[in-house]
Amino acid sequence: MSQSDSAVRPTRKVETLDQVVIRFAGDSGDGMQLTGSQFTNTAALMGNDLATLPDFPAEIRAPAGTLAGVSGFQLRFSSYDIHTPGDAPDVLVAMNAAALKVNLGDLRAGGLLIVNTGGFGKKELDMAGYPKSPLEGDALRAYRVVAVDLNDLTKRALEGLGLSMKEALRCKNFFALGVCCWLFSRPLDPTETWIKSKFAKNEQMVEANLRVLRAGFNFADTTELFQTVYEVPPAAMPKGTYRNVMGNEALSMGFLAASELSGLEIFLGSYPITPASDILHTLAAYKNFGVTTFQAEDEIAAITSAIGASYAGKIGMTTTSGPGVALKTEALGLAVSLELPLVLVNVQRGGPSTGLPTKTEQADLFQAVLGRNGEAPIPVIAAASPSDCFYAAIEAVRLAIRYMTPVILLSDGYIANGSEPWLLPKVADLPKIEVRFAGQNGEPTPANFLPYLRDEKTLARPWAVPGTPGYEHRIGGIEKADKTGSISYDAENHERMCKLRQEKVNRIASDCPPPEFEGDEDADLVVLGWGSTHGAITGAVRQARAKGLSVARCHLRHVWPFPVGLGPILKRAKKVLIPEMNLGQLWRLVRSEYLVDAISLPKVQGRPFTSSEILEKIQSLS
Amino acid sequence: MTPTTEATAPTYTKKDFESDQTIRWCPGCGDYAILATVQSVLAGLGIPREEFAVVSGIGCSSRFPYYLSTYGFHSIHGRAPAIATGVKLANPKLSVWVVTGDGDGLSIGGNHLLHVLRRNVDLKILMFNNRIYGLTKGQYSPTSEQGKVTKSTPYGSVDNPVDPVNFALAAGATFVARSVDVFRQHLSDTVAAAAMHRGAAFVEIYQNCNIFNDGAFESLTAKATREEKALYLEHGQPLRYGPEKSMGFALKGASLEKIDLKQHPEREKDLLIWDQEEPSGTLGMLANHLPKDPANPVPLGIFRRLEKPTFDAGMRAQIDAARAKRGPGNLEKLLYSGTTWTV
Ligand SMILES: Cc1ncc(C[n+]2csc(CCOP(=O)(O)OP(=O)(O)O)c2C)c(N)n1
Ligand code: SF4
Ligand SMILES: [Mg+2]
């Protein structure tokens, strides 16, 4: 503990917990995301396993104090291996009445509720729709309530510093953070270091935030509001070096890695859209890696410029969310027809249309697998967790280059903005991605270059980039003759080309590892998932197995085409359960592909599954 | 890419730029003349053939790349400028060309055209304007004159047309020109000038669609009236036209005044001296306003030519500067940066 003073402190019980789920909730101007991420970094440094779930409104600043403006950040940290940010919070920090109203229902019975009474004036109560203060009477009887006026305490801590009232109040999140650090035996140093570097240009803000942070810590230490101090010892994690990482960040680094592994520079064409923009922001900062980031005039230009860049020999990629994919659809078909490498990232959000821009969903699977005119097969892969985005990005680039095809990589708002500790790989251990440009390997120049002559194994066509003498050729979206690529309207040729393009993509099904499987081979029930449900399903299945149920789980990284190993797993199982954050899209694909009478567990609430929701379903089927 | 004049520059003939594909335009289509001219111009630029990338959208005009022996890319409707931007950014050494139609470039692809022009991406853009949708069999286009009767507008089109040259000038294009399919020498000079320009070069080419809009430019192209109807814009020269160059224009207030020099020889000194480097585009628009009155000639040639930094060079410079300042990217270091801990 960095903070201790000579004041006489009450003696307290120290209780050791193996996990805690805490949620910070306040107005979107209250800095809850920042508070949450600082508490997360500290937990990471303390060696806990962790998972986070930020939850913010679509509006940048919805009117202060309203229900629409509530922003939350949930963190689960633990002494053991965890997979989700937790179901019901054990601790809720509510900075105002609206935050309480929105979040109270999730707090587990008997949970600790820290409320800022300074956010419960008449105006705030009215805006939250409380006829009278919930802090009075029995409304909160089910919880352990600690009510403190953070506004007042913050102001007092800052007396004499010459800050305006507004500036002073903006520091109150650090008071709350100081209190929580004390409560869970966390050091202040990581946050102090962060404050010093973040506000390096503004000494007064450094001083103010440090003061408030320490004041919060000391306040908790010296008052008798808390009877117990908690400890959450480090988790036993595999040896190695870790960092905390968010999905979009890991995805960006995965692309940089793919660039290094392939020796090709990245071209990212993108148009801003939540929750994908951070990939554009991140890569834009890494120009020294040879990255070109092009903020195009719209999604169509974003993808078509990327196709142009791939044509010229870069790794063309484009990042977006569902509505953006809708606009890119015609160009995806073009990429299928041209047979050029391209990676499209869809960080899914709630739909349809604008839907729920800041909330998570997995309802774009059909769009990815089926959503194009004509026979236009595209392989689809999905990231399972924030750190897994790194490996998914590399795999997407590998497939795109190896098979000369567009690849769709699905992420979602939950893993894009969520974070977890990441056991960092050694770059030297990552497998290289082989690239062969036609005419650049010392081979003799053919008298008649055939741009659609295929590799026997992968069926990929050659990648001949402009600038290569003797390989001048024409490509286009019109149907082309096999091998020569000349325009062809021939009936048989068209069918042959459709089948070839399909067969090429089908071959990926046996060029990927078998699907991840955990549990007994002959388990009665197999829970099948894809993408970000990985954590919730893993948690639920492990709990069910601990209870003695005959359950296994299977996870798809390669979602389409289905990997060859999937069929036998599904046929063997007596029952198959498919939880998804949509109305049953993988479920329908599985049923149509394998004629397996799988059971769907749909959820479309803009929120990820909790393990207990899945566990309950498993139990009802067992 | 700047054309080279060195002795090492490849020497080509027009034939070297002809592809083996069967040409599928209607007999008599203006596209043939444009193709022949462009093949000759490309052959004479001294750029190695493999360094040309020609990108098009969809339309009769957009079939163009198939008929050239360079790298060619026939894409989707309206998107060629965006694709070409990606090609150029990925490999700035290439000479990247866009071929588009009036529908492709100004209807479905108007947004992309606007943005490549204002960004000044180093692309050579040839818009074949036949004032009709050729490939889809004759609907009116955004450049069709108001009242145009077509299959889709049996009572005549209601909307105002867009003028491609005005559009390009207003978008801030650094090179804007107009020529005509059958004016072989003028077209050749104009396309060559565009090729030499560093930055976004936009050339509108009047093109006759003899099937769906035959004679759209007849009054300009008919041999008998040609010289009365063509006003050639020549940098540093007075605005004169007519068989004996006896007609001209002077600046009067915010418009151009027509002067008959036979009647008023004393006014020769008043003639406007054409300045293609006038940066605001105002002069270009004034000249381009003339054909609104059918009694006036049609201006042809270069409306504007300015040197400005290109988008592709600026983007490359940022990468080079970042590398010079921070060194080439080190992935291992990046992964292990920030707050890490070791178990
Ligand atoms: C997305 C899409 N919409 C519509 C079409 C149909 N289409 C093809 S070409 C064209 C118009 C072409 O007109 P223009 O660009 O003037 O070319 P032209 O044929 O006159 O040379 C249209 C509407 C298409 N190919 N793609
Ligand atoms: S339809 Fe018109 S523009 Fe198209 S090829 Fe025929 S003549 Fe040319
Ligand atoms: Mg046309």
Side-chain angles (χ1 to χ4, degrees), chain A residues 330, chain B residues 58-61 77 101-104 108 130 132-136:
Chain A
E330 188 196 10
Chain B
I58 295 288
C60 298
S61 36
H77 203 17
D102 42 316
D104 190 66
I108 195 166
N130 53 14
I132 202 82
Y133 285 1
L135 193 68
T136 45

Side-chain angles (χ1 to χ4, degrees), chain A residues 44 240-243 265 285-286 288 290 293 297 304-305 314 425 427 465 467-468 471 473-477 486 489, chain B residues 21 50 63 70-72 74 82 86 90 112 115 119 315-316 318 323 326-327 329 332 334-336 340-343:
Chain A
T241 301
Y242 288 79
R243 72 183 277 177
E265 288 185 341
Y286 294 132
N288 61 326
T293 50
E297 56 270 25
T304 48
S305 62
K314 302 244 168 171
V427 173
V465 299
T468 319
Y471 286 78
H473 64 283
R474 271 63 54 197
I475 57 173
S486 302
Y489 300 128
Chain B
Q21 304 288 303
E50 67 272 13
R63 290 294 173 91
T70 62
Y71 281 92
H74 179 235
H112 306 307
H115 290 283
R119 287 186 183 115
M315 293 284 273
R316 258 293 126 185
Q318 284 196 345
R323 281 187 163 149
R326 294 158 65 184
E332 188 98 5
L334 175 71
L335 296 184
Y336 287 76
T340 62
W341 67 97
T342 300
V343 176

Side-chain angles (χ1 to χ4, degrees), chain A residues 249-567:
Chain A
E249 207 182 355
L251 206 119
S252 308
M253 288 191 280
F255 284 142
L256 293 177
S259 167
E260 174 142 334
L261 297 169
S262 63
L264 297 181
E265 288 185 341
I266 290 172
F267 178 98
L268 171 66
S270 192
Y271 187 78
I273 184 168
T274 303
S277 302
D278 278 338
I279 305 170
L280 170 62
H281 305 161
T282 305
L283 286 174
Y286 294 132
K287 290 219 155 45
N288 61 326
F289 283 79
V291 177
T292 304
T293 50
F294 172 52
Q295 182 179 318
E297 56 270 25
D298 60 22
E299 277 87 353
I300 300 171
I303 185 170
T304 48
S305 62
I307 292 174
S310 286
Y311 172 64
K314 302 244 168 171
I315 315 170
M317 46 184 68
T318 185
T319 49
T320 188
S321 190
V325 179
L327 287 173
K328 292 174 198 287
T329 300
E330 188 196 10
L332 275 175
L334 175 66
V336 169
S337 177
L338 297 174
E339 303 191 46
L340 280 172
L342 177 79
V343 175
L344 177 145
V345 177
N346 177 356
V347 184
Q348 299 164 95
R349 64 190 218 183
S353 187
T354 304
L356 304 171
T358 59
K359 311 288 179 199
T360 195
E361 204 158 278
Q362 292 181 303
D364 299 346
L365 181 62
F366 279 170
Q367 184 190 39
V369 172
L370 307 167
R372 285 166 295 283
N373 60 305
E375 293 290 347
I378 293 183
V380 179
I381 67 174
S385 75
S387 66
D388 183 55
C389 286
F390 178 81
Y391 304 99
I394 296 175
E395 176 64 358
V397 173
R398 182 187 77 89
L399 290 178
I401 293 175
R402 186 168 156 79
Y403 289 89
M404 292 289 284
T405 178
V407 173
I408 294 177
L409 165 51
L410 296 177
S411 172
D412 62 40
Y414 169 40
I415 48 183
N417 291 314
S419 66
E420 66 179 355
W422 175 26
L423 174 57
L424 291 165
K426 285 267 166 259
V427 173
D429 297 342
L430 300 170
K432 291 256 174 294
I433 298 172
E434 198 199 340
V435 178
R436 279 179 72 84
F437 286 124
Q440 298 187 15
N441 314 289
E443 70 267 44
T445 306
N448 218 342
F449 171 60
L450 296 173
Y452 281 82
L453 185 67
R454 293 167 193 281
D455 179 90
E456 272 177 27
K457 186 146 176 249
T458 60
L459 295 184
R461 74 176 190 92
W463 195 1
V465 299
T468 319
Y471 286 78
E472 294 90 343
H473 64 283
R474 271 63 54 197
I475 57 173
I478 300 198
E479 187 60 284
K480 50 200 61 64
D482 194 9
K483 301 188 179 69
T484 65
S486 302
I487 292 179
S488 166
Y489 300 128
D490 180 80
E492 262 120 53
N493 174 75
H494 174 57
E495 186 161 279
R496 182 159 65 248
M497 291 301 280
C498 284
K499 286 182 171 167
L500 276 168
R501 288 185 290 254
Q502 182 67 56
E503 171 60 17
K504 179 177 80 164
V505 169
N506 288 351
R507 288 193 184 183
I508 292 173
S510 44
D511 183 23
C512 57
E516 185 182 309
F517 187 86
E518 178 181 341
D520 298 327
E521 285 224 342
D522 58 354
D524 292 342
L525 173 66
V526 170
V527 184
L528 175 67
W530 66 280
S532 73
T533 52
H534 182 267
I537 292 175
T538 304
V541 168
R542 288 191 186 165
Q543 288 169 53
R545 295 184 72 209
K547 289 179 198 288
L549 302 181
S550 176
V551 194
R553 67 169 188 93
C554 179
H555 176 81
L556 297 177
R557 135 88 79 239
H558 296 82
V559 185
W560 194 258
F562 288 136
V564 286
L566 180 62

Side-chain angles (χ1 to χ4, degrees), chain B residues 148-172:
Chain B
K148 183 85 184 166
V149 175
T150 69
K151 277 180 238 164
S152 64
T153 50
Y155 298 99
S157 62
V158 178
D159 36 339
N160 269 316
V162 57
D163 183 282
V165 163
N166 276 4
F167 178 91
L169 288 171

Side-chain angles (χ1 to χ4, degrees), chain B residues 231-247:
Chain B
L231 169 65
Y232 293 103
L233 307 173
E234 289 170 86
H235 188 56
Q237 299 296 318
L239 284 191
R240 295 178 80 141
Y241 70 103
E244 298 155 61
K245 295 274 179 208
S246 62
M247 301 295 288

Side-chain angles (χ1 to χ4, degrees), chain B residues 18-318:
Chain B
E18 293 169 1
S19 81
D20 60 356
Q21 304 288 303
T22 333
I23 302 184
R24 297 170 193 236
W25 288 315
C26 309
C29 174
D31 290 350
Y32 284 97
I34 304 175
L35 176 64
T37 303
V38 171
Q39 283 166 333
S40 300
V41 172
L42 297 188
L45 289 174
I47 299 173
R49 188 173 64 185
E50 67 272 13
E51 288 183 8
F52 288 101
V54 184
V55 186
S56 66
I58 295 288
C60 298
S61 36
S62 288
R63 290 294 173 91
F64 203 83
Y66 275 107
Y67 309 140
L68 289 174
S69 59
T70 62
Y71 281 92
F73 192 149
H74 179 235
S75 73
I76 45 177
H77 203 17
R79 318 303 172 193
I83 293 175
T85 299
V87 175
K88 185 71 190 179
L89 288 177
N91 185 354
K93 279 202 340 228
L94 299 173
S95 177
V96 185
W97 293 64
V98 169
V99 177
T100 182
D102 42 316
D104 190 66
L106 282 171
S107 198
I108 195 166
N111 192 33
H112 306 307
L113 186 59
L114 163 69
H115 290 283
V116 286
L117 295 179
R118 66 141 181 113
R119 287 186 183 115
N120 199 28
V121 187
D122 186 15
L123 304 175
K124 317 301 151 218
I125 304 162
L126 309 179
M127 173 180 285
F128 300 4
N129 184 6
N130 53 14
R131 297 191 180 155
I132 202 82
Y133 285 1
L135 193 68
T136 45
K137 303 205 165 102
Q139 301 81 2
Y140 85 116
S141 98
T143 57
S144 300
E145 63 280 10
Q146 196 174 34
K148 183 85 184 166
V149 175
T150 69
K151 277 180 238 164
S152 64
T153 50
Y155 298 99
S157 62
V158 178
D159 36 339
N160 269 316
V162 57
D163 183 282
V165 163
N166 276 4
F167 178 91
L169 288 171
T174 53
F175 182 104
V176 181
R178 175 186 293 135
S179 192
V180 185
D181 52 5
V182 290
F183 291 4
R184 186 130 192 195
Q185 190 56 48
H186 187 264
L187 178 61
S188 175
D189 294 346
T190 308
V191 172
M196 313 289 269
H197 179 72
R198 190 191 292 270
F202 178 82
V203 183
E204 177 192 18
I205 303 171
Y206 284 165
Q207 174 243 327
N208 191 40
C209 167
N210 55 310
I211 303 295
F212 297 112
N213 201 16
D214 196 21
F217 308 101
E218 178 83 39
S219 67
L220 171 64
T221 55
K223 287 236 161 66
T225 48
R226 227 176 242 198
E227 291 192 59
E228 275 160 43
K229 292 306 285 184
L231 169 65
Y232 293 103
L233 307 173
E234 289 170 86
H235 188 56
Q237 299 296 318
L239 284 191
R240 295 178 80 141
Y241 70 103
E244 298 155 61
K245 295 274 179 208
S246 62
M247 301 295 288
F249 288 98
L251 194 59
K252 186 181 173 196
S255 59
L256 293 177
E257 178 195 9
K258 194 192 290 189
I259 296 172
D260 184 339
L261 293 165
K262 276 191 183 150
Q263 284 177 26
H264 301 284
E266 78 285 0
R267 295 209 56 194
E268 186 168 340
K269 61 175 180 358
D270 296 342
L271 293 182
L272 177 67
I273 306 296
W274 186 247
D275 179 9
Q276 66 191 19
E277 284 157 16
E278 189 278 307
S280 75
T282 310
L283 271 192
M285 292 220 193
L286 268 185
N288 202 29
H289 195 70
L290 291 174
K292 293 256 167 176
D293 178 351
N296 282 338
V298 178
L300 301 172
I302 300 170
F303 286 76
R304 185 207 258 154
R305 173 152 56 180
L306 294 174
E307 279 290 322
K308 279 204 178 156
T310 66
F311 183 67
D312 35 292
M315 293 284 273
R316 258 293 126 185
Q318 284 196 345

Side-chain angles (χ1 to χ4, degrees), chain A residues 40 62 77 107 167 232 275 301 371 416 429 480 486 525 529 531 560 612:
Chain A
T40 302
F77 57 105
L107 184 62
E167 286 170 320
V232 181
D429 297 342
K480 50 200 61 64
S486 302
L525 173 66
W560 194 258
S612 50

